[in-house]
Amino acid sequence: MNDKPIIAINADFRAAKSETFSFSWMHTGYYDSVSNSGGIPIMLPPMAEDDDLRRMLEQVDGLVLTGCKLDLDPIRLGFDPHPVTRAMPARREDFDRRLAKLAYEMKIPTLAIGSGMQVLNLICGGTLFQHVAEDVYRSLCHRDAVENCLRHVIEIVPGTKMDSIYGPGEIRVNSDHHMAIDQLASVFRASATAMDGVVEAYESTDDNWWCLGTQFHPESESASALDLQVFEAFIDGAKEQTATGVDILQFDQTRRVA
């Protein structure tokens, strides 16, 4: 019997231009990392109907909310657009917001990465900084316009999922963002921060919902070998939550029959 969990991964989207047609695509690192960690990846395009999306999510064991090189629309966040902000296509952001809402409501085991981490925090009641370099006092460099493999140190909170994944010692992660979490939603707790206080990882406070968000990108070519353990922990968490859900369902059915 194949007990590999099925993991949905939301696709990126680019709208049509005069010289190109619209298309959906995905960074190879996402589905390779899921596969290499013992899961079966499937791609979610930006579906239009919530009922269809919910039906799809009912068939999977976990969800990866992917990042994006582009930003969440600052106008929708109540900001005046910063000159460096480049908003992602509305269809992508609309879908990601709906997907994050359903993931939270359905308590689907979730690994949220980059802008996926940001949008899930928004949906759950948190807020964002638009531009870390100006919004955070004495901020670190979190994005280098020239160096694509920028790395910085993070401080891991003891007793969290990040602590169990990486263990003690200094951890350096890749960094390529200028938006970041301001207020963390009440359903999450910080698992790791940068030296300037920027939240680099969070996790669910609900023991019945496996959820981890990382601002860095464990799927990227610039990730360290240790970062694959983030996906391995996610796959293990999805399997454990799915098994627990089956046990509860079997118990309920037995109780009804009795």
Side-chain angles (χ1 to χ4, degrees):
M1 179 179 178
N2 189 343
D3 63 349
K4 291 183 176 181
I6 299 174
I7 306 299
I9 309 173
N10 60 316
D12 207 337
F13 173 79
R14 292 294 180 270
K17 296 182 179 179
S18 58
E19 69 280 7
T20 60
F21 50 80
S22 60
F23 64 98
S24 293
W25 60 281
M26 183 183 298
H27 190 296
T28 306
Y30 289 113
Y31 55 79
D32 279 351
S33 295
V34 168
S35 296
N36 293 336
S37 300
I40 299 174
I42 60 172
M43 186 174 81
L44 279 181
M47 303 164 65
E49 299 294 333
D50 280 353
D51 287 344
D52 295 340
L53 179 56
R54 181 181 292 274
R55 182 177 178 186
M56 174 66 77
L57 293 177
E58 288 171 347
Q59 310 305 313
V60 304
D61 302 298
L63 170 69
V64 176
L65 277 171
T66 64
C68 182
K69 276 289 189 180
L70 303 178
D71 302 306
L72 299 174
D73 186 348
I75 294 176
R76 295 184 67 171
L77 301 175
F79 299 134
D80 292 327
H82 191 279
V84 303
T85 300
R86 298 170 59 224
M88 66 179 68
R91 184 173 178 180
R92 165 79 196 261
E93 181 171 345
D94 289 343
F95 178 70
D96 285 6
R97 285 172 175 264
R98 291 165 41 226
L99 179 59
K101 183 174 185 291
L102 284 175
Y104 170 64
E105 291 175 352
M106 299 170 69
K107 297 298 184 287
I108 296 171
T110 301
L111 174 60
I113 297 173
S115 61
M117 171 201 194
Q118 295 170 7
V119 73
L120 185 58
N121 183 62
L122 281 174
I123 289 301
C124 292
T127 62
L128 298 180
F129 293 121
Q130 181 179 188
H131 190 52
V132 172
E134 296 177 3
D135 296 336
V136 175
Y137 180 65
R138 292 185 176 178
S139 65
L140 298 175
C141 180
H142 288 267
R143 168 176 284 174
D144 191 316
V146 177
E147 178 57 68
N148 291 326
C149 296
L150 175 67
R151 302 180 70 80
H152 63 62
V153 173
I154 60 173
E155 294 183 309
I156 293 177
V157 178
T160 60
K161 285 182 171 62
M162 286 288 289
D163 189 24
S164 66
I165 291 169
Y166 287 99
E170 182 177 290
I171 301 299
R172 299 182 69 86
V173 296
N174 55 34
S175 185
D176 184 20
H177 65 102
H178 77 103
M179 284 189 170
I181 289 175
D182 179 4
Q183 297 296 318
L184 192 60
S186 61
V187 298
F188 299 126
R189 58 173 166 257
S191 299
T193 59
M195 302 301 287
D196 57 8
V198 168
V199 176
E200 289 287 334
Y202 64 60
E203 62 187 60
S204 170
T205 58
D206 184 345
D207 291 337
N208 297 314
W209 182 35
W210 199 102
C211 179
L212 178 68
T214 66
Q215 184 59 73
F216 60 96
H217 287 263
E219 88 292 344
S220 175
E221 294 91 344
S222 62
S224 72
L226 286 175
D227 292 342
L228 183 62
Q229 295 176 173
V230 172
F231 280 90
E232 292 170 349
F234 165 56
I235 295 298
D236 288 343
K239 292 168 69 174
E240 181 179 347
Q241 184 173 320
T242 299
T244 301
V246 170
D247 291 342
I248 293 172
L249 177 61
Q250 291 173 343
F251 174 77
D252 287 346
Q253 290 174 336
T254 302
R255 183 171 58 184
R256 284 198 296 270
V257 170

